Amino acid sequence: IQLTAVAVAAAFGLCLAVQGAADLARDRRSAWRTSTPLQVAALGLAATVIILVADPGLSGYLRWRVDALPLGVRRSGAPGGYAFLLTALWANGVACVLAAGGFVLLLRRAPRLGVFLILWLAIPVSVQVFVLAWKTERFVLLALPPLFLAAGEMAALLVSAAASRATASPVRRGRVAQLAAAAALCGASVAAAGFNPYLAQRWSRIQRGKDDGWREARAILDTSPALRALPIGHVTPLGALHYLGHVDFVVWLGLTEGWAPVRDAAGRTTVRPVPEGGADVYAGVPVLVTPASIRRQFSVRGGVVIGVNEPFLTWHGVDRGLIGELAGHATELCHGRCGTMRLYYWPFQRDVRVTIP
């Protein structure tokens, strides 16, 4: 559950409270027996107070979670920000216009639903954009469904009107509406990456960049039993575990921090550091990010194989000393055949090397 879930819950509670207050002003005391929004809002508020009283540390933990930034995000900066994500989410602005029209339509036809969807969207997005620091795109995903629902409402109205003009037969109108909806979905799927510079850039250079090159890297390792026998390290341990068959350590700096908060010497809540060689949270293998720690861990093996994808270099996700060591004393095995992955063979003794076909 991301932090947005708290803001979405707050938006839902606020919507219930507004409707409950309207029922209370209209029905007076009888509203406590007849108004479901008022009852649910009161129960939610009481439950929140009870939880915070029963667990006094929960509010402090939530405040810490709101302000804390993972190491990987602190190093990567804010590529666009939430506001840019929202404005660039709609190909050519068509869906944005549909969503705006849909909100207006809902406010006229179903005011309660319209207010709820607007609050569901506005409160979490406002908090994430204007109050909190950038984390990652997924922190606003729970706030986006109202956009799609409103756009769908407006699109359904337009399709229905077009179908009515096209034919007087109810059966044919239904078929026309189905075909139009199918065409719109197909068009949106194609346009999402083709016409959206934000999604196209992020998806092609980052998401695919983290995952491509695995099969090519495995094929290279399979050509040499000596390479296959060496310890393998990577920035994404689960990917290496799945595609390469095993992983012995992880070199991503983002995993040098744990997710559980601890108190420092001054009594402040901070991130729990993962000790050198401690297990990562994904594959349970040692986190070794510096050349010295890797040498120390695998000194008797004579060398290691390390895979790094370019996006992690862009995000400063790999120790600079390790990058320098690999650039100066390791052999890059892919030579551009592994997409964005760079696969290094790093012998600890410069005069000892594995034969690479």
Side-chain angles (χ1 to χ4, degrees):
I1 298 176
Q2 299 294 350
L3 293 177
T4 319
V6 178
V8 169
F12 180 63
L14 178 59
C15 185
L16 291 174
V18 170
Q19 183 58 48
D23 292 343
L24 186 61
R26 184 189 62 216
D27 300 332
R28 305 297 180 179
R29 290 186 178 181
S30 62
W32 291 103
R33 291 182 290 103
T34 60
S35 174
T36 300
L38 181 61
Q39 295 167 353
V40 175
L43 288 174
L45 179 61
T48 301
V49 172
I50 291 173
I51 292 173
L52 294 177
V53 171
D55 187 358
L58 180 60
S59 60
Y61 170 74
L62 290 176
R63 287 196 301 271
W64 171 80
R65 282 283 296 174
V66 164
D67 294 330
L69 290 177
L71 178 62
V73 176
R74 295 202 303 271
R75 287 177 172 270
S76 66
Y82 298 112
F84 180 58
L85 167 65
L86 293 173
T87 57
L89 187 62
W90 310 95
N92 297 327
V94 174
C96 187
V97 174
L98 289 177
F103 283 127
V104 174
L105 185 66
L106 285 170
L107 287 174
R108 293 184 61 183
R109 290 185 172 182
R112 292 188 182 185
L113 179 59
V115 170
F116 171 63
L117 292 180
I118 290 173
L119 291 177
W120 179 358
L121 171 69
I123 293 178
V125 170
S126 298
V127 170
Q128 294 291 135
V129 172
F130 299 110
V131 178
L132 304 182
W134 164 269
K135 294 180 184 292
T136 56
E137 297 96 329
R138 68 177 182 268
F139 280 81
V140 293
L141 287 181
L142 286 177
L144 296 184
L147 285 174
F148 300 101
L149 293 173
E153 183 73 15
M154 192 63 187
L157 176 65
L158 295 177
V159 169
S160 177
S164 298
R165 286 180 173 272
T167 177
S169 170
V171 176
R172 291 184 177 179
R173 280 204 300 267
R175 291 177 180 174
V176 170
Q178 292 172 354
L179 290 174
L185 288 175
C186 292
S189 301
V190 173
F195 293 97
N196 188 317
Y198 182 80
L199 289 181
Q201 178 183 6
R202 295 284 292 171
W203 182 256
S204 63
R205 295 187 182 180
I206 296 179
Q207 290 302 122
R208 287 180 53 219
K210 289 193 296 185
D211 300 326
D212 67 356
W214 290 108
R215 292 178 176 82
E216 295 81 0
R218 179 167 184 168
I220 291 172
L221 293 178
D222 287 343
T223 61
S224 173
L227 280 177
R228 241 341 188 154
L230 290 174
I232 295 178
H234 208 278
V235 288
T236 55
L238 288 183
L241 190 63
H242 176 74
Y243 287 99
L244 305 183
H246 76 281
V247 63
D248 300 281
F249 62 102
V250 60
V251 297
W252 182 28
L253 286 170
L255 295 179
T256 59
E257 290 185 344
W259 293 344
V262 294
R263 295 281 185 178
D264 61 13
R268 296 169 299 186
T269 302
T270 185
V271 179
R272 176 181 61 84
V274 174
E276 188 178 55
D280 83 285
V281 298
Y282 294 109
V285 297
V287 178
L288 304 171
V289 298
T290 63
S293 64
I294 297 172
R295 283 178 178 272
R296 188 163 47 248
Q297 183 82 6
F298 301 107
S299 58
V300 298
R301 306 292 294 275
V304 295
V305 173
I306 297 178
V308 179
N309 292 83
E310 290 181 6
F312 287 88
L313 301 177
T314 304
W315 297 341
H316 308 291
V318 180
D319 179 76
R320 292 183 179 181
L322 179 58
I323 294 175
E325 187 70 27
L326 295 176
H329 305 119
T331 300
E332 207 284 309
L333 305 176
C334 284
H335 302 294
R337 293 174 292 172
C338 306
T340 64
M341 185 186 297
R342 301 177 188 177
L343 191 67
Y344 294 95
Y345 162 52
W346 176 28
F348 297 148
Q349 297 182 9
R350 299 181 186 179
D351 57 340
V352 177
R353 288 189 175 271
V354 170
T355 301
I356 304 170

